[in-house]
Amino acid sequence: MSNFVAPEIKKFVVWDYVVFAGLFLVCASIGVFFAIKERKKKTSKEFLVGGKQMSCGPIAFSLTSSFMSAVTVLGTPSEVYRYGASFVLFFLAYTFVIILTSELFLPVFYRSDITSTYEYLELRFNKNVRLAATLIYILQTVRRYCLFLFTGFDLWGSVVATGVVCTFYCTTGGLKAVVWADAFQMVVMVLGFVTVLIRGTILNGGSTSIWEDAYEGSRLNIFDFDVDPLRRHTFWTIVIGGTFTWLGLYGVNQSTIQRCISCKSEKHAKMALYLNLLGLWIILVCAVFSGLVMYAHYKNCDPWTAGFISAPDQLMPYFVMDIFSSMPGVPGLFVACAFSGTLSTVAASINALATVTFEDLVRKCFPNLSEKTSTWTSKGLCILYGVLCTSMAGAASLMGGVVQAALSIHGMCGGPMLGLFTLGIIFPCVNWKGAIGGFLTGITLAFWVGIGSFIYPAQPVKTIPLELSTLNCTLANSTALCFSPSLLSHLLRPLLADTWYSLSYLYFSTIGCLGCIISGLTGWAIPTADQDIRPVLIKPVCNFFCFWSERLKRLLWCGVRHDSHDVSTWQSQGCSAAKQNKTKDSSTGVPRPRLFQLPGYNPEEKSYTNMSKESRL
């Protein structure tokens, strides 16, 4: 068989640019549409959470599109191409994450009548805990999502256009524009994947041939039950580590919760999450099968090893330009598919950042802002974060290895954040000192292992890709891809380099979360019989595990009114009392319900759901 010579990579033609530009035009138009439609509703609540009148369908599409970013479109097929289809096991992690989010975290946030998830931390602990978590979230989100503007493409025009369009429709249309633009982008993502799958399958002899090639290339060895935590991807690292990682991204993340609480009812919010799970499965399956099709196409001539491309993330764009070189417009569709993930992710992040900054920082400093000023302030924050993310994308393009470190920032920050909220929701015995102590411990552990893993990467035996062939290639004139660790790195490796620092990256979040919970419980868990905690802030999971002993149940709940009867009585009586006793909000002059005092609670120090947000905080 003759050697395979790298095909000349085609450039975009007019039709590709038309398709690509069409995506931006539609998204911008959605922002304009909602700006005009909602022009008479000029409240910050309408802008930030859609007036809490959204239905489950568009929210489900929005959630799927936002969290299946260009990293998924470009990175997952490359992952499957190089390491095999074990990535499909994430469908189990997604399932656990959605169940826990909808049944454990969402009910607490929705019933607490909050806009920012970090409001919960002040209601449950105090303002210092809220401020610490808010600042970490802003740092984490800005550093992580600015990189999505620069994933996979070196076209600066695309980077700037993405940032400008995201900022535009976030600022003009608010959350409703973000949600409906995400729904459109979800359709584009699926359409792009399906187009690639159909064309790639036809060119490589059909699905049976692709399946056989994947089997012969060991790409179908999915179930690896090795318990070694140093292995990059096994059944346990993906299911356990993946669950913790994505739970930090879903269960307590402002971007997710903000859209869920914008639903017209808790039932709609839960339904949105479960419909979103179906969307996650669809995108995951499409990405995995794209990787298998790509492997079948290049099984005898790997473009990366041969030096035709400079990085594994370029495999998917290279493959698309290769198989669609004779079909103008279709490469533009795939680029639109990749950028749909980028647009939705960045837009949702800008909106979430604006919400958190306004609710947790601006409103705390200026509690008497008018609705008009609040709305314009929120829009200004959207512009600020849009500019910041676009600018940092430029810095990311020049900083090489820092990009990888920043992409892992979620696992290192999301885990401790998950642990902090878990302490508040599940463990009523933990006070604010336990929350701060646990959070700092979790952050320290997660950053220790995360930074250490970047300085001292795991030995190749734990992370080595599957075999890639260049048998039928005419190799390019480049040897830059031949990686060989320096002798110095071997000589200077500390004792922890091959143990603690070599843990699978999926365990970063797990370590941070468990470290936070264990430290918060062992160091600062102070049971008391008269804790002044609103029952709506606690999820009574102990009722399930301690149904056989009322005494043990009372002990674990440390005096908090935790029985479902008590909670329902509190809600119904509180609402009734509120209707009969109304005062005026000092900042707006609008009548507000007077606090209903449940026996054992101090109305001077705590506030309840029925009070206005200014009074609660």
Side-chain angles (χ1 to χ4, degrees):
M1 184 178 294
S2 61
N3 286 346
F4 177 89
V5 180
E8 180 184 355
I9 299 301
K10 304 293 184 181
K11 302 295 183 181
F12 264 26
V13 297
V14 174
W15 285 110
D16 295 314
Y17 284 110
V18 168
V19 173
F20 187 55
L23 171 70
F24 290 111
L25 181 61
V26 172
C27 293
S29 299
I30 292 173
V32 173
F33 172 78
F34 280 102
I36 297 174
K37 181 182 178 183
E38 308 292 329
R39 63 187 182 278
K40 295 182 180 179
K41 301 177 181 178
K42 297 181 179 180
T43 66
S44 58
K45 184 177 181 180
E46 192 73 31
F47 182 79
L48 296 174
V49 291
K52 294 193 174 182
Q53 292 299 315
M54 302 295 293
S55 57
C56 61
I59 294 295
F61 276 102
S62 177
L63 288 171
T64 303
S65 180
S66 295
F67 291 99
M68 290 289 139
S69 64
V71 171
T72 301
V73 177
L74 303 176
T76 301
S78 174
E79 179 76 26
V80 174
Y81 175 87
R82 298 173 63 215
Y83 293 96
S86 60
F87 206 88
V88 77
L89 291 174
F90 271 97
F91 87 91
L92 290 174
Y94 296 161
T95 304
F96 295 143
V97 166
I98 295 302
I99 292 174
L100 289 171
T101 300
S102 61
E103 304 302 331
L104 178 61
F105 294 105
L106 175 63
V108 173
F109 292 132
Y110 197 94
R111 297 168 191 175
S112 298
D113 190 32
I114 59 177
T115 301
S116 163
T117 54
Y118 305 101
E119 291 180 55
Y120 169 86
L121 295 177
E122 181 169 356
L123 295 174
R124 174 63 177 86
F125 299 115
N126 63 22
K127 62 181 180 181
N128 294 325
V129 178
R130 175 182 181 177
L131 180 60
T134 298
L135 294 177
I136 291 294
Y137 171 77
I138 292 174
L139 172 65
Q140 167 199 0
T141 306
V142 170
R143 292 192 64 188
R144 182 170 183 260
Y145 288 112
C146 73
L147 295 166
F148 291 152
L149 290 170
F150 199 78
T151 301
F153 299 95
D154 297 326
L155 301 176
W156 255 108
S158 300
V159 174
V160 175
T162 302
V164 170
V165 171
C166 287
T167 305
F168 176 77
Y169 71 78
C170 282
T171 304
T172 56
L175 182 69
K176 288 184 178 180
V178 171
V179 168
W180 282 104
D182 286 350
F184 166 72
Q185 290 153 12
M186 171 67 182
V187 174
V188 174
M189 289 175 69
V190 173
L191 184 60
F193 265 132
V194 170
T195 305
V196 171
L197 286 172
I198 292 175
R199 177 67 173 172
T201 301
I202 293 173
L203 290 179
N204 290 283
S207 56
T208 302
S209 177
I210 290 173
W211 201 256
E212 291 175 352
D213 290 337
Y215 178 79
E216 292 173 0
S218 302
R219 262 61 185 178
L220 298 182
N221 296 334
I222 296 174
F223 295 98
D224 181 356
F225 292 100
D226 188 352
V227 296
D228 184 0
L230 307 185
R231 293 280 304 279
R232 186 172 181 272
H233 279 174
T234 65
F235 178 88
W236 306 112
T237 57
I238 292 176
V239 174
I240 297 177
T243 297
F244 275 91
T245 300
W246 277 82
L247 192 57
L249 192 64
Y250 257 73
V252 299
N253 185 276
Q254 171 65 24
S255 184
T256 303
I257 300 302
Q258 181 177 345
R259 276 171 284 183
C260 287
I261 63 178
S262 71
C263 289
K264 61 182 68 176
S265 67
E266 185 179 329
K267 181 179 179 181
H268 270 264
K270 286 187 176 182
M271 191 177 299
L273 283 170
Y274 284 112
L275 288 175
N276 160 58
L277 176 59
L278 180 61
L280 294 178
W281 285 345
I282 292 173
I283 296 294
L284 177 64
V285 169
C286 287
V288 169
F289 273 98
S290 294
L292 296 179
V293 170
M294 190 162 57
Y295 173 75
H297 192 76
Y298 293 124
K299 63 179 179 181
N300 292 320
C301 181
D302 171 41
W304 181 46
T305 308
F308 302 150
I309 57 176
S310 59
D313 286 341
Q314 297 175 4
L315 280 166
M316 194 65 178
Y318 180 90
F319 175 60
V320 170
M321 297 302 293
D322 185 2
I323 65 176
F324 290 115
S325 58
S326 61
M327 302 175 66
V330 181
L333 175 63
F334 173 76
V335 173
C337 168
F339 269 90
S340 289
T342 300
L343 281 167
S344 59
T345 303
V346 174
S349 302
I350 290 173
N351 191 262
L353 285 167
T355 302
V356 168
T357 304
F358 178 76
E359 294 292 340
D360 297 345
L361 300 179
V362 176
R363 193 184 285 277
K364 295 291 290 183
C365 297
F366 305 98
N368 297 320
L369 289 177
S370 67
E371 280 296 342
K372 183 177 180 179
T373 304
S374 298
T375 302
W376 280 106
T377 302
S378 300
K379 291 184 177 183
L381 289 170
C382 285
I383 296 174
L384 173 64
Y385 282 118
V387 172
L388 182 60
C389 287
T390 305
S391 302
M392 288 189 66
S397 68
L398 304 174
M399 296 176 66
V402 178
V403 175
Q404 182 181 357
L407 284 173
S408 298
I409 198 72
H410 168 70
M412 296 154 63
C413 291
M417 199 77 73
L418 173 63
L420 178 61
F421 280 97
T422 302
L423 282 174
I425 292 174
I426 297 182
F427 302 103
C429 59
V430 177
N431 60 13
W432 71 270
K433 295 180 180 179
I436 287 289
F439 188 54
L440 293 178
T441 301
I443 286 284
T444 301
L445 290 173
F447 270 80
W448 180 19
V449 65
I451 294 175
S453 70
F454 292 123
I455 298 175
Y456 304 103
Q459 296 290 350
V461 69
K462 300 293 184 181
T463 60
I464 192 168
L466 297 173
E467 183 179 356
L468 296 168
S469 173
T470 56
L471 180 63
N472 296 330
C473 290
T474 299
L475 300 182
N477 296 324
S478 173
T479 58
L481 295 174
C482 298
F483 173 75
S484 58
S486 66
L487 178 62
L488 183 63
S489 65
H490 284 291
L491 294 176
L492 299 181
R493 288 178 71 86
L495 294 177
L496 293 177
D498 296 324
T499 51
W500 178 246
Y501 296 153
S502 294
L503 286 171
S504 171
Y505 73 97
L506 289 173
Y507 282 137
F508 293 173
S509 183
T510 308
I511 290 171
C513 179
L514 295 182
C516 176
I517 293 174
I518 294 172
S519 175
L521 287 174
T522 58
W524 300 96
I526 306 177
T528 175
D530 25 308
Q531 281 211 70
D532 189 13
I533 302 175
R534 290 168 49 196
V536 76
L537 301 178
I538 307 292
K539 184 66 177 176
V541 291
C542 286
N543 288 1
F544 176 78
F545 294 104
C546 306
F547 64 91
W548 48 275
S549 174
E550 287 295 326
R551 182 178 179 182
L552 179 59
K553 188 189 302 183
R554 287 194 298 271
L555 176 65
L556 291 176
W557 283 97
C558 312
V560 175
R561 304 283 296 236
H562 60 278
D563 290 338
S564 59
H565 173 72
D566 292 335
V567 176
S568 61
T569 300
W570 177 85
Q571 291 173 330
S572 61
Q573 292 180 353
C575 292
S576 300
K579 293 178 181 178
Q580 298 173 4
N581 302 283
K582 292 185 178 180
T583 59
K584 287 189 176 181
D585 189 302
S586 59
S587 61
T588 64
V590 177
R592 72 166 184 250
R594 182 180 297 169
L595 174 66
F596 169 72
Q597 184 179 349
L598 190 68
Y601 286 79
N602 185 350
E604 298 300 324
E605 296 182 3
K606 293 287 181 177
S607 54
Y608 293 86
T609 303
N610 295 319
M611 298 185 72
S612 67
K613 184 174 296 180
E614 290 79 3
S615 299
R616 287 193 292 114
L617 302 181

